[in-house]
Amino acid sequence: MTTEASSLPLIQPFYAIGLSNLARRLEAEGASIIHMEFGQPSTGAPSGAIMAAHRALDSDPGSYWESQDLKIRLSQHYQETYGVHLESHRILLTCGASPALVLALSTRFAAGDRVALARPGYVAYRNTLRALHLEPVEIPCGPDVGYQLTAAALERVDGPLAGVIIASPANPTGSILAPGEIEAIVRACETRSLGLVSDEIYHGLSYKAPARSVLEFTDQAFVVNSFSKYFSMVAWRLGWLAVPEPSVERARALVSNLFLTPPSLSQHAALAALDCQKELEAHVEVYRRNRALLLEALPRLGLASIAPPDGAFYIYADVGRLTDDSLAFCERILRETGVVLAPGLDFDPVDGHRFIRFSFAVSTDLILEAIDRLTPWFALQPLRH
């Protein structure tokens, strides 16, 4: 290994992608597969977005372009949904939420900075921080705090901190931060001059009280969002980043050099998607039904210890009585039942060996079929001693 290679940060695999690739190979060989490994809506873009895309294909050759109309409409969305005045020039359009996360971290932090986040949490937080030569400070968050970061936990962190990442609803747990806790985290960040990044990609997907935006409590946070989840536009690769006023110029310089602009076709479609609420809310009702079916079925499978799935479309379940290797366990489930799940190892490198994640973003028929396949399989699994 060269000196240069040995000095690069260790980026761990996204294990669910490897399982998904195996599932695709098995499908090509004729296997019947149910994909519950990703947070990927089974529905496509709303009909209004599709029609807008057709119109754009007929009239717009496409260019490096940032839709001012879309940014203004997103600004209206924040006013209508959260009562927040977010100026449109503070919204930067990106090719999905992943570049928005890279942009937020690159804008706010410098190499060597330490950034706190909850464990379990989305695999790309940890790995993106490392890729940018930042240090993830993972704080274990268990059922006593709803698998969410707290202001009190931030106060107990040893050593200096430069920032914090929060997510509500969270991946992999679906847990939602209470408004009081968001405010407490905001105040802790203000007191210690910490940069705050809030991942709000699952907003709109709540089954109890709606998730609150961090922008209701501060205008100094970076907010990541996307059209992939609630708007069901995964393949269109369009997201956005809300940027604090003092950082807009730096963020714009970075985005223009790193990413240029998102696809113009996606921007035309997204503008229409923002006015397709009736169709999109119907999708949420499907997820609500799927969630209820799984919450009823999982205890029968022996999976009674789960995170609170208040939002998103995930259930994070403890399988420690059956395995201490969630990756191998998920591969066995795939090969023997055709159901693809995500191993907890993706979300928690310490305790994730005893957790798995179910995504209920698929159709209800597939949820019922998955339950039928998994029920007899789990019944045959021996308990660990």
Side-chain angles (χ1 to χ4, degrees), residues 132-262:
L132 295 172
H133 298 274
L134 304 169
E135 181 183 345
V137 179
E138 295 187 285
I139 299 175
C141 300
D144 56 319
V145 290
Y147 294 90
Q148 280 282 5
L149 201 60
T150 65
L154 287 175
E155 294 297 329
R156 295 192 294 268
V157 173
D158 292 330
L161 277 182
V164 181
I165 298 174
I166 60 174
S168 177
N171 180 7
T173 61
S175 60
I176 290 178
L177 277 166
E181 193 60 61
I182 298 175
E183 184 169 17
I185 290 171
V186 165
R187 302 303 163 231
C189 289
E190 290 174 345
T191 299
R192 300 173 62 179
S193 299
L194 304 180
L196 179 57
V197 178
S198 179
D199 184 351
E200 301 183 0
I201 191 173
Y202 296 104
H203 275 218
L205 302 174
S206 301
Y207 308 104
K208 297 179 180 177
R212 301 283 293 274
S213 174
V214 72
L215 294 179
E216 297 177 57
F217 304 91
T218 178
D219 62 359
Q220 294 304 304
F222 292 79
V223 175
V224 173
N225 213 321
S226 168
F227 285 90
S228 291
K229 308 302 183 181
Y230 174 76
F231 294 97
S232 198
M233 295 176 67
V234 172
W236 299 78
R237 308 314 306 137
L238 183 63
W240 71 90
L241 179 68
V243 181
E245 184 68 51
S247 298
V248 169
E249 187 174 338
R250 173 173 169 77
R252 183 162 297 286
L254 282 168
V255 76
S256 60
N257 281 281
L258 292 175
F259 308 117
L260 293 177
T261 62

Side-chain angles (χ1 to χ4, degrees), residues 80-161:
E80 295 164 359
T81 307
Y82 308 108
V84 166
H85 178 62
L86 173 63
E87 298 90 342
S88 60
H89 74 273
R90 290 175 51 200
I91 300 171
L92 277 65
L93 302 176
T94 60
C95 297
S98 297
L101 176 65
V102 171
L103 181 60
L105 298 177
S106 301
T107 300
R108 180 59 178 82
F109 304 116
D113 280 350
R114 302 173 77 236
V115 180
L117 61 158
R119 175 173 61 77
Y122 180 45
V123 58
Y125 301 152
R126 179 191 337 125
N127 284 327
T128 302
L129 285 165
R130 287 177 176 156
L132 295 172
H133 298 274
L134 304 169
E135 181 183 345
V137 179
E138 295 187 285
I139 299 175
C141 300
D144 56 319
V145 290
Y147 294 90
Q148 280 282 5
L149 201 60
T150 65
L154 287 175
E155 294 297 329
R156 295 192 294 268
V157 173
D158 292 330
L161 277 182

